Structure formats: C-alpha cells, structure tokens
C-alpha cells in the first residue's frame, strides 16, 4: 500500500565539486528505508566542466555517495525522497 504524503521525508542538497569526482552527503536524519536519490549537474557561473555525467554510486539510510564521470568543477543539486 502507498503511504500518505506525511509519511515521506524530502531533503535537498547542493554540492560544489572542486577538482574531484566524488562527494558524500549525510542526511539530516536517518530514513526508515533506502531513499530514492536524484542528482543533476547545473550550469553556473563557477562551473567549468558542465559536460560530465552525475550518478549515485551508493546509498544507505544515513548517506549517499555522488560521483561524476570525470574530475571536475561542477555544481550538483541532489534530491532525497523516502520514508
């Protein structure tokens, strides 16, 4: 069965990759099950490597590892949704 809207937790994070291809985010509070994560690179005045892929490498109840396809200087927005 599907839960109600109040059963869900939603978090957003902004990451600035600076000469790296991996960053870890820690959730504000633990999720009861593994959350769904969306990560997107954005164009910004400080981004010099906008032509990279962004993906979620690992997810736990407490954190997620976000990686890019190359060492880069790029901004990434992350959305975390779960219960």
């Amino acid at each position: 069965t599907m839960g109600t809207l109040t059963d869900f937790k939603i978090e957003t994070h902004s990451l600035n990759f600076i000469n790296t291809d991996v960053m870890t985010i820690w959730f504000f509070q633990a999720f009861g099950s593994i959350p769904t994560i969306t990560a997107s690179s954005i164009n910004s005045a400080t981004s010099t490597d906008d032509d990279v892929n962004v993906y979620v490498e690992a997810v736990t109840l407490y954190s997620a590892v976000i990686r890019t396809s190359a060492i880069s200087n790029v901004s990434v927005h992350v959305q975390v949704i779960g219960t």
Side-chain angles (χ1 to χ4, degrees):
T1 64
M2 185 171 273
T4 66
L5 188 56
T6 57
D7 293 334
F8 290 94
K9 297 179 198 172
I10 300 173
E11 294 187 11
T12 61
H13 298 263
S14 294
L15 305 176
N16 290 311
F17 284 70
I18 300 172
N19 295 323
T20 188
D21 64 347
V22 63
M23 292 187 79
T24 300
I25 57 171
W26 294 91
F27 306 140
F28 300 122
Q29 54 185 305
F31 284 83
S33 59
I34 299 296
T36 299
I37 310 263
T38 302
S40 305
S41 64
I42 60 165
N43 289 332
S44 70
T46 59
S47 296
T48 58
D49 300 312
D50 291 329
D51 193 21
V52 295
N53 294 314
V54 177
Y55 59 96
V56 179
E57 184 175 70
V59 182
T60 71
L61 300 176
Y62 309 97
S63 66
V65 177
I66 310 299
R67 190 174 282 275
T68 59
S69 57
I71 292 175
S72 59
N73 297 305
V74 68
S75 295
V76 175
H77 285 181
V78 180
Q79 297 81 37
V80 185
I81 302 173
T83 55

